[in-house]
Amino acid sequence: MTTKIVFLPGDGVGPEVIGAAEAVLAKVSEQEGFSYAAEHHAFGGAAIDSHGDPFPTETRAACLAADAVILGAVGGPKWAGGSVRPEQGLLAMRSELGTFANLRPATIMPGLEALSPLRPERVTGCDLLIVRELTGGLYFGDREEGSEAALDTCRYSRDEVERIARIAFDAARGRRGKLTSVDKANVLATSRLWRSVVDDMATDYPDVTLDHMLVDAAAMRLVSAPTDFDVILTENLFGDILSDQASAVAGSIGLAPSASLGSGKGGIFEPIHGSAPDIAGQGKANPVGTILSLAMALRHSLDQEAAAVRIETAVSKALADGHGTFDLGCSDSTKEMTAAICERL
Ligand code: NAD
Ligand code: IPM
Ligand code: MN
């Protein structure tokens, strides 16, 4: 059966970085000798414009049938005040595809410590993985909109915590064996449930060292001692915030990839950044986060580990050779950076 890859360029810099990932996939598939069928569908603000819906029926059907979905980004000022927002499409897709586990690595590549805004001695060896719960919590709770008062509710069930914690424990087992569960158990009931579920599971993982950290302290540790972390397990909103912070510690949000996985084989793969309206259309967005997300798709959903490693190695080489976009203090355009990576595949 042909491997089916759905590209959702979305809004702002989305189409620019998706173009970069497609160029890399075209080359790496030839080198590794595999074929695939690519489709493109409307999503986000672009789909509101064309279909009146950020996640149109045909896009939904294509994503459900895909082996992997590669997404650029959604959102932008054009749709911010509307009754339907691009971000609702993203949340609907994550929920309907059941991708409850969002993996967001933040790694300083050896020799590239200077990319970090932190002092090199602070970040040398920084290699952490945020495991973010993606289909629960405040993002999916009951909501009441109002001009005088508004309400968002946060709910987690034992099952929801268990399945994401299992992913994080397993990830820690395959890495340096350290798991930090981040919550706000001194205030939130959901965090106290979270902590007790994670503690219950620890007996299944005697080889993993578990600790708990309050989210405010974790934000502080992430910049004062980022190398202390191996795997961070946390709920949806905390993971959203901490992953942007971790990406900056590792150099730039433009470098950061993610994989959103569920119980099946497919997944959604997207850079963690947004549509970057401030630089959209200028051809200067950093494509690396999207290209590394493609590598995660090849590894996690498409059985192409060799292709994933080839891409990751080429990205490291291009950066080590001094290539980079403006956010890294370099001058490559999106296309030049992509070409530099393709040459090194
Ligand atoms: P953003 O991530 O789009 O941008 C934050 C900053 O990072 C900006 O200065 C931007 O120029 C920079 N940046 C982002 N990506 C970059 C890249 N590839 N290369 C270089 N610099 C990059 O966040 P924002 O401005 O807060 O949000 C803009 C819109 O994107 C909003 O509508 C938001 O909802 C949406 N958003 C979407 C996603 C997604 O689709 N997964 C993620 C985050 C934000
Ligand atoms: C992300 C984004 C999304 C999130 C928004 C656009 C809904 O910030 O993927 O990190 O908060 O999950
Ligand atoms: Mn985010």
Side-chain angles (χ1 to χ4, degrees):
M1 255 189 11
T2 317
T3 299
K4 191 173 152 192
I5 302 179
V6 165
F7 289 99
L8 304 178
D11 308 318
V13 298
E16 300 167 41
V17 295
I18 284 294
E22 288 187 81
V24 170
L25 178 60
K27 176 139 188 213
V28 89
S29 61
E30 219 175 276
Q31 292 171 313
E32 293 293 335
F34 65 89
S35 60
Y36 59 93
E39 288 182 19
H40 296 76
H41 291 277
F43 189 59
I48 294 178
D49 292 348
S50 61
H51 294 68
D53 178 354
F55 190 35
T57 314
E58 56 260 46
T59 302
R60 175 184 283 105
C63 291
L64 285 166
D67 295 293
V69 176
I70 319 276
L71 167 66
V74 297
K78 181 177 179 191
W79 307 279
S83 58
V84 54
R85 284 167 285 106
E87 291 81 358
Q88 290 170 315
L90 182 58
L91 299 189
M93 179 168 73
R94 289 172 177 171
S95 179
E96 289 176 39
L97 269 59
T99 54
F100 64 88
N102 184 215
L103 311 183
R104 296 190 160 188
T107 305
I108 283 272
M109 299 169 197
L112 295 175
E113 292 78 10
L115 294 180
S116 175
L118 301 184
R119 290 198 297 276
E121 66 270 23
R122 288 251 157 124
V123 289
T124 300
C126 171
D127 174 17
L128 63 88
L129 173 69
I130 297 181
V131 177
R132 170 191 177 193
E133 200 291 325
L134 199 62
T135 53
L138 277 166
Y139 281 68
F140 293 93
D142 291 337
R143 233 180 276 296
E144 279 172 28
E145 305 270 351
S147 57
E148 299 305 315
L151 178 76
D152 298 286
T153 50
C154 186
R155 180 183 191 280
Y156 271 109
S157 68
R158 174 169 287 270
D159 285 354
E160 283 175 310
V161 180
E162 254 174 28
R163 65 182 183 176
I164 189 69
R166 182 88 46 212
I167 303 270
F169 272 112
D170 286 338
R173 179 170 270 175
R175 293 170 48 102
R176 300 193 301 281
K178 189 170 174 194
L179 178 60
T180 306
S181 179
V182 171
D183 62 35
K184 189 73 185 173
N186 53 347
V187 176
L188 301 176
T190 44
S191 285
R192 289 188 286 274
L193 172 70
W194 185 282
R195 211 176 258 225
S196 90
V197 173
V198 172
D199 273 336
D200 288 349
M201 292 173 70
T203 50
D204 293 348
Y205 294 89
D207 50 330
V208 173
T209 306
L210 168 69
D211 64 357
H212 300 279
M213 201 179 283
L214 297 172
V215 63
D216 45 356
M220 182 274 291
R221 288 301 281 174
L222 209 43
V223 290
S224 60
T227 57
D228 275 6
F229 294 103
D230 179 9
V231 177
I232 293 175
L233 162 66
T234 194
E235 63 92 61
N236 205 341
L237 182 62
F238 298 158
D240 177 46
I241 298 166
L242 293 179
S243 58
D244 267 33
Q245 190 182 352
S247 76
V249 166
S252 164
I253 193 170
L255 294 171
S258 84
S260 304
L261 308 172
S263 45
K265 205 147 190 315
I268 305 166
F269 302 87
E270 52 170 324
I272 78 161
H273 64 73
S275 59
D278 53 337
I279 59 162
Q282 297 176 27
K284 65 183 201 180
N286 190 339
V288 169
T290 313
I291 290 169
L292 292 177
S293 299
L294 168 67
M296 293 184 89
L298 289 162
R299 170 170 299 124
H300 291 284
S301 291
L302 303 173
D303 282 328
Q304 297 291 342
E305 173 68 20
V309 172
R310 197 187 273 270
I311 292 172
E312 288 159 351
T313 308
V315 166
S316 300
K317 277 192 197 149
L319 292 168
D321 290 346
H323 279 282
T325 40
F326 79 98
D327 51 315
L328 303 174
C330 304
S331 60
D332 280 332
S333 66
T334 307
K335 286 210 163 90
E336 287 163 345
M337 185 65 196
T338 307
I341 293 166
C342 284
E343 278 162 26
R344 289 164 178 78
L345 279 170

